[in-house]
Amino acid sequence: MTTIDVSAGGRVTWRPALVFIALFAVLIASAIAVLGVGSVTVSASEVVAVVARRLRLTEGASVTVLADRIVWDLRAPRVIGAACAGTVLAVSGAVLQSLTRNELADPYLLGISSGAAAGAVCAIVFGISIGGVGHGATVGAMALLGGVAALLLVLALATGRSGELPPGRTIVSGVAVAQLAGAFTSLAIMVFGARDAAREVLAWTLGSFAGVRWPSAIALMVVAGVTVVGVLGCARALDAFAFGETSARSLGVDVARLRWILLVGTALVTAGTVAVVGPIGFVGLTVPHIVRALVGPSHTALLPVSALAGALLMVWADTAARSVADGREIPIGVVTAAIGAPVLVILLRRQAQSR
């Protein structure tokens, strides 16, 4: 990662590196703090002792069975899952905004969330089951299948004879597929869905980390790791897109190939994330705008800082979702919308006043 940035006047600024270090420290401190937050409060010292014991950093650390189960078995996978999901969505949003040169692009640009919702509805409303697999895993598998099906349909509609994916046609195709999947979802719920099924579908479409356990958390860690490593390798090529496709080609960037790789790659990791935790809005749309205001448009700084900022936002949003209302959990999509929408409005107003 490039940690310095050279301004127009030739001065070297360490802001991206400082922001990265600060966010990383805050994320670690936040993880320790939120692991102790919940219906049963666990002190920070107990949290550290549990984590150190589980990671075998200390021998014979004294922790209670209750604290160990609450922190490690119940809350740790949820916190890790939230951080990884936030990383994937924020990074994917930053990539798609740069790739399409569209400030309103987000990870669900290609109809992924609507396709995933359609797949989840099939499992919930029509009672589709996979032998030997629980209901939650079946819903996730069907959501993944629906998201991939939506991606394939968008690519089929948007790809030209030359094999390229024009940004304008890709966006329109994504909107069309999203509307089609949304219509199917509404029809299935209204015609075939019982009240309980409709309630379950609504809860799924607003996202939740309540069901995340270690297998899901590990899967999300793999997806997040692949996402970050993959996009960082394309950071300099994405910088070239800021000057337009013609300039990018003149700098040696294979525009068509890069667009295919990044569009399909971000769509697949988004589909995988949605399959586990449901579609969570505003993270991939809002976080990149905030980070650009902090570190500038260079992707060598934008992408890793977006990863940390997305993780931090999602960790605290999930903590708020499970802690604000006594005895019940608020869908995390409600929390991210409540945070993201006002922030996005403020950023857009500032941009409008500066131009």
Side-chain angles (χ1 to χ4, degrees), residues 114-340:
S114 298
V121 163
C122 288
I124 295 170
V125 174
F126 300 117
I128 295 175
S129 61
I130 302 174
V133 176
H135 177 67
T138 299
V139 172
M142 290 298 296
L144 178 60
L145 182 62
V148 173
L151 170 63
L152 294 176
L153 183 55
V154 169
L155 295 177
L157 293 173
T159 305
R161 292 183 178 179
S162 63
E164 293 189 359
L165 285 171
R169 191 160 64 226
T170 303
I171 293 172
V172 172
S173 299
V175 171
V177 170
Q179 292 296 319
L180 180 63
F184 169 80
T185 299
S186 300
L187 180 64
I189 294 173
M190 292 181 64
V191 176
F192 303 103
R195 180 176 297 178
D196 290 341
R199 187 180 295 111
E200 184 179 353
V201 170
L202 177 61
W204 186 89
T205 56
L206 291 174
S208 175
F209 291 95
V212 175
R213 295 295 180 264
W214 277 113
S216 301
I218 292 172
L220 288 171
M221 288 174 65
V222 172
V223 172
V226 170
T227 302
V228 173
V229 171
V231 298
L232 283 178
C234 302
R236 294 196 178 278
L238 281 169
D239 285 338
F241 271 84
F243 305 100
E245 292 185 11
T246 302
S247 297
R249 289 191 181 94
S250 68
L251 293 173
V253 177
D254 188 338
V255 172
R257 180 172 177 271
L258 182 66
R259 180 174 285 123
W260 264 96
I261 291 173
L262 291 179
L263 282 176
V264 174
T266 53
L268 288 176
V269 296
T270 298
T273 302
V274 170
V276 177
V277 300
I280 301 172
F282 279 97
V283 177
L285 176 62
T286 305
V287 169
H289 288 288
I290 298 174
V291 173
R292 284 191 190 92
L294 291 174
V295 303
S298 173
H299 289 82
T300 53
L302 174 65
L303 295 175
V305 175
S306 292
L308 290 178
L312 184 62
L313 172 61
M314 196 71 87
V315 165
W316 279 109
D318 180 56
T319 303
R322 62 182 172 85
S323 305
V324 170
D326 292 334
R328 60 179 179 176
E329 183 170 319
I330 300 172
I332 192 169
V334 174
V335 179
T336 55
I339 297 172

Side-chain angles (χ1 to χ4, degrees), residues 10 15 37 58 81 109 119 142 149 175 315 321 330 344 346:
R15 173 179 285 187
V37 175
T58 58
L109 180 70
M142 290 298 296
V175 171
V315 165
I330 300 172
L344 185 61
I346 292 171

